[in-house]
Amino acid sequence: MGRRKNKWFKKTINFYRYVFKFESPFKVIIDGNFVAIALKKKFDLKEALSKALDENVHIVIPSCVFRELQSIEDKIPGITQIISQYKIEECKHNTMEPVNCIRSYIGKRNMDKYFVATQDKFLRSMLRKIPGVPLIFFDQNMILIDKLSGASLEASERREGLKEDPQKKEKKILEE
């Protein structure tokens, strides 16, 4: 099973690498739910994500997510201490819900090439509609990458279709 999972992971990661031009080290935005589960399962975030993606990772924690984690510190002791070892990025907006904050980082086309690590099903369903957003989540004691979204597959097919169309120079020659 591990071998099959590894092959599927590599295929998915290579898809994002070649189609959407993701480069190492991968930038991974992490939300509060993902951090809480990683802490509960005693995972080291950077090590676990690097192992799962088979690449170096740069963990991105928006300040909105950090504030959310500070608010649940009494329920999950030590969560802010663990997360504060990573760089907390100041958001470009005033305080907002972490879901909307992560959504604003991604934008309409994920131009900054972020992976998103979240357990929030609502956020994952929103991000599946945006092409080129790889989603990471926990399932039992494993970190998984979500299957390719329809939006990502459509964007890939559109790009392939554009390669088949004649370019400007070729159109000019064909017209003559």
Side-chain angles (χ1 to χ4, degrees):
M1 176 131 177
R3 188 175 198 173
R4 176 181 274 168
K5 182 194 111 190
N6 192 24
K7 186 177 180 182
W8 174 63
F9 266 42
K10 285 185 179 185
K11 185 177 178 181
T12 303
I13 291 169
N14 283 337
F15 174 84
Y16 287 109
R17 199 175 270 200
Y18 297 121
V19 174
F20 294 103
K21 309 296 185 221
F22 278 70
E23 294 177 359
S24 182
F26 295 138
K27 296 181 278 188
V28 182
I29 297 178
I30 298 180
D31 82 338
N33 298 331
F34 193 84
V35 173
I37 289 176
L39 180 64
K40 207 181 272 186
K41 295 179 185 279
K42 297 182 169 92
F43 274 88
D44 177 281
L45 282 172
K46 189 165 187 132
E47 183 182 319
L49 287 169
S50 293
K51 187 176 178 184
L53 298 175
D54 206 23
E55 281 289 343
N56 291 331
V57 296
H58 171 72
I59 294 179
V60 177
I61 299 165
S63 56
C64 292
V65 171
F66 185 69
R67 280 190 291 279
E68 175 192 39
L69 292 173
Q70 285 176 323
S71 71
I72 62 167
E73 174 74 32
D74 57 332
K75 294 177 186 169
I76 306 172
I79 197 164
T80 54
Q81 180 184 1
I82 287 173
I83 212 67
S84 62
Q85 68 185 348
Y86 303 108
K87 185 175 183 269
I88 311 299
E89 290 197 11
E90 282 301 316
C91 300
K92 301 168 183 90
H93 53 263
N94 295 333
T95 59
M96 67 168 52
E97 289 290 314
V99 169
N100 295 330
C101 177
I102 291 171
R103 179 71 177 83
S104 72
Y105 265 83
I106 299 300
K108 292 182 181 177
R109 294 185 19 219
N110 195 13
M111 296 304 288
D112 292 325
K113 313 295 183 225
Y114 288 113
F115 281 74
V116 178
T118 182
Q119 289 300 110
D120 188 338
K121 290 181 180 181
F122 174 71
L123 178 60
R124 284 196 311 212
S125 69
M126 278 178 35
L127 295 177
R128 278 189 194 107
K129 296 173 186 169
I130 302 170
V133 181
L135 300 170
I136 302 169
F137 62 97
F138 274 107
D139 185 31
Q140 297 175 355
N141 281 339
M142 292 176 25
I143 293 177
L144 297 177
I145 298 175
D146 207 358
K147 63 182 179 180
L148 298 173
S149 68
S152 293
L153 290 171
E154 282 178 27
S156 171
E157 290 171 6
R158 273 195 309 268
R159 287 180 185 187
E160 287 300 314
L162 290 175
K163 287 180 185 176
E164 294 174 2
D165 290 344
Q167 297 190 355
K168 289 182 182 178
K169 290 178 185 177
E170 295 170 334
K171 282 182 182 178
K172 195 174 189 179
I173 292 171
L174 288 172
E175 288 173 0
E176 291 176 1

